[in-house]
Amino acid sequence: MSAMFRSLSGRNYRIWFAGALVSNIGTWMQRTAQDWLVLTQLTHDDAVAVGVTMALQFGPQLVLLPWTGLVADRFDRRRMLMLTQGLMGLLGLGLAVMVLTDTATLWSLYGFALALGVVAAFDTPVRQAFVSDVVTGEQVSNAVALNSASFNAARLIGPAVAGVLIAAIGSGWVFVINAGSFLAVLIALRFVDPEQLADRARAPRGKGQLIAGFRYVRTRPDIIVVLCMIFVVGTFGVNFAIFTSTMARVEFHRGAGEFGLLNSVMAVGSVLGALLSARREVPRMRTLTIAAGGFGLACTAAAFAPTYWTFAILLAFLGLASLTFMTTANALVQTTTEPAMRGRVMALYMAVFAGGTPLGAPIVGAVADAWGPRWAIGVGALSGFVALAIALVWLVRFQHVRLRYDADNRLHLAVTRSLPVVVPAPGSRAARAAVRRDLQHDEAVVERSSPV
């Protein structure tokens, strides 16, 4: 268990982790309350309007990409986080006032969602890269995994808490709670010791710095594959607000309480996925590949769930698969990127992951309106299988991975040589020796290349 949380041994990281977790949960509580407010009060169960709200929240990350990453690499990340987190808290408080005074309209909520998206576009890459400032050396990989797990767990835990609170006290007070949650990260940043932050090379001033991140990624096919996978799933698969809200209200005719319970059950799987991800010392491509397939299978099963409770149970497996996928992808990109480029690469990563939502969320919402929420979840299942296919093609064509039987007829995944080999008789001493040589060669190849 200690190895799972080893990076928390550092004072700075403990303080930052606690504050960021509270803030992340509050942010996702607000986004969930926004979606439910749009679906049930500002429209008549209009899933397209929910999709538009999500698009406005995530779209700025794509539009502002060249500047957000450069800001993360050039300026003091601690001070930038104080600024962005403070602005997001003020926006949440403003939205709370409008809802509590019954002056909120659909268009005013669209405006707040867009403003939040603009600030979040600068906040996200800074926050992602800041984790490598508060830890050093061998702790970076574990800290990245825990930071990613915190962000993605909040993406699932926040909606669960919000669903319960919406039913108990109303959406307006959820926005108030979210505004207060930003105080946690501001206090944490105040107590982080700047003297103990890692030294880093900042991006120099001059021409070409805006597109340097794109040039760097272009030379890294392993990162490109991860970005392709995360784009497909992030665009068409990670639309949980649409899946759970429409299934609860349209398919099973339940209220906000049951909607919150669905997200709570999904959070159980997300917590398990977070803990399993933190235990892995090195993120690997094979874990990402398996998680993509698991996501597709979990969505498929959920789409065919005959009852509300069956659907709820299946959401736990969906939470496990989705969080494992997102955390592994995030850690793969962060830990294999040069420190001086990390802010710009993570901005590109988050833009690809969240920036596809303006395209995918309205489409998934339209599918839910036209053919029902089960077909919308089917779109999510397809995204998982497409991501799986992308990974398998890359592994087979460029990493020379094959499914092989060893001398004892056990199936295993191996990196094979392209040169022709003479296959000895099964069960012979030569066959066993060849298997040992192949495994040693495979391990050497994997160590020299990207994690598989």
Side-chain angles (χ1 to χ4, degrees):
M1 184 65 69
S2 60
M4 185 183 299
F5 303 104
R6 57 188 180 275
S7 58
L8 292 175
S9 60
R11 176 184 176 275
N12 270 356
Y13 188 68
R14 283 199 307 272
I15 295 173
W16 161 248
F17 182 86
L21 179 61
V22 173
S23 176
N24 286 336
I25 292 175
T27 297
W28 284 105
M29 287 174 59
Q30 171 167 306
R31 290 174 177 173
T32 302
Q34 281 182 348
D35 296 336
W36 189 254
L37 186 68
V38 170
L39 187 68
T40 62
Q41 297 183 34
L42 301 182
T43 68
H44 298 288
D45 300 335
D46 189 349
V48 174
V50 176
V52 171
T53 304
M54 295 175 64
L56 292 171
Q57 291 173 165
F58 296 110
Q61 295 196 36
L62 184 61
V63 177
L64 300 174
L65 169 63
W67 295 275
T68 57
L70 186 59
V71 166
D73 280 334
R74 177 174 292 175
F75 295 101
D76 186 298
R77 291 170 182 163
R78 178 171 167 269
R79 293 182 179 178
M80 283 300 303
L81 284 172
M82 287 183 173
L83 175 62
T84 56
Q85 293 287 306
L87 289 175
M88 292 169 76
L90 291 175
L91 285 171
L93 186 61
L95 183 57
V97 171
M98 291 187 63
V99 174
L100 291 174
T101 56
D102 293 325
T103 58
T105 65
L106 182 60
W107 285 102
S108 65
L109 193 140
Y110 282 167
F112 270 95
L114 178 61
L116 179 64
V118 171
V119 179
F122 288 91
D123 176 83
T124 301
V126 177
R127 181 160 35 86
Q128 292 285 322
F130 183 68
V131 66
S132 61
D133 292 347
V134 293
V135 294
T136 57
E138 297 178 353
Q139 304 289 4
V140 173
S141 177
N142 179 254
V144 167
L146 287 179
N147 188 64
S148 179
S150 169
F151 175 78
N152 290 299
R155 186 178 187 132
L156 300 176
I157 295 172
V161 176
V164 175
L165 293 179
I166 289 170
I169 59 178
S171 298
W173 289 106
V174 173
F175 297 140
V176 173
I177 294 172
N178 168 65
S181 72
F182 289 101
L183 291 175
V185 73
L186 290 174
I187 293 172
L189 289 168
R190 172 64 180 81
F191 284 97
V192 165
D193 187 358
E195 299 298 326
Q196 296 182 14
L197 296 178
D199 294 329
R200 64 182 178 89
R202 298 190 183 184
R205 297 181 180 273
K207 296 181 179 179
Q209 296 303 316
L210 287 177
I211 62 174
F214 295 95
R215 291 174 176 170
Y216 176 80
V217 171
R218 190 174 59 184
T219 66
R220 294 287 305 277
D222 54 331
I223 293 181
I224 293 176
V225 170
V226 175
L227 292 179
C228 290
M229 295 175 67
I230 206 71
F231 171 77
V232 173
V233 175
T235 300
F236 299 104
V238 188
N239 291 291
F240 301 132
I242 296 176
F243 296 161
T244 56
S245 62
T246 55
M247 284 291 286
R249 186 170 178 87
V250 178
E251 191 69 22
F252 299 119
H253 309 290
R254 304 298 179 106
E258 289 83 357
F259 166 63
L261 179 61
L262 289 180
N263 289 284
S264 297
V265 174
M266 182 179 282
V268 172
S270 73
V271 171
L272 179 59
L275 295 177
L276 292 176
S277 298
R279 289 192 62 181
R280 302 184 188 96
E281 294 188 4
V282 179
R284 297 189 179 277
M285 187 66 185
R286 65 188 177 198
T287 304
L288 186 66
T289 304
I290 294 172
F295 181 85
L297 291 174
C299 282
T300 301
F304 286 98
T307 66
Y308 170 85
W309 292 109
T310 305
F311 180 72
I313 293 172
L314 290 170
L315 284 182
F317 294 96
L318 181 58
L320 170 62
S322 62
L323 191 65
T324 301
F325 179 83
M326 292 184 286
T327 300
T328 304
N330 187 297
L332 270 172
V333 174
Q334 278 218 59
T335 56
T336 60
T337 298
E338 294 180 6
M341 300 297 301
R342 189 167 288 140
R344 278 163 286 185
V345 173
M346 290 312 299
L348 177 59
Y349 171 88
M350 294 307 300
V352 169
F353 179 41
T357 302
L359 170 65
I363 292 176
V364 173
V367 170
D369 280 344
W371 295 296
R374 296 184 185 275
W375 283 100
I377 301 177
V379 174
L382 181 61
S383 72
F385 294 133
V386 170
L388 172 64
I390 292 172
L392 291 177
V393 169
W394 182 74
L395 288 171
V396 171
R397 292 194 60 183
F398 300 102
Q399 296 296 304
H400 307 293
V401 172
R402 301 290 188 274
L403 285 174
R404 301 177 58 185
Y405 283 96
D406 62 15
D408 297 320
N409 291 325
R410 289 179 298 186
L411 188 66
H412 68 92
L413 201 63
V415 182
T416 62
R417 290 176 292 243
S418 58
L419 297 176
V421 296
V422 178
V423 180
S428 66
R429 183 177 301 175
R432 292 190 177 91
V435 169
R436 287 194 296 270
R437 288 196 302 271
D438 279 346
L439 291 177
Q440 292 170 356
H441 171 76
D442 297 341
E443 293 173 356
V445 172
V446 170
E447 287 298 325
R448 292 194 301 267
S449 59
S450 300
V452 177

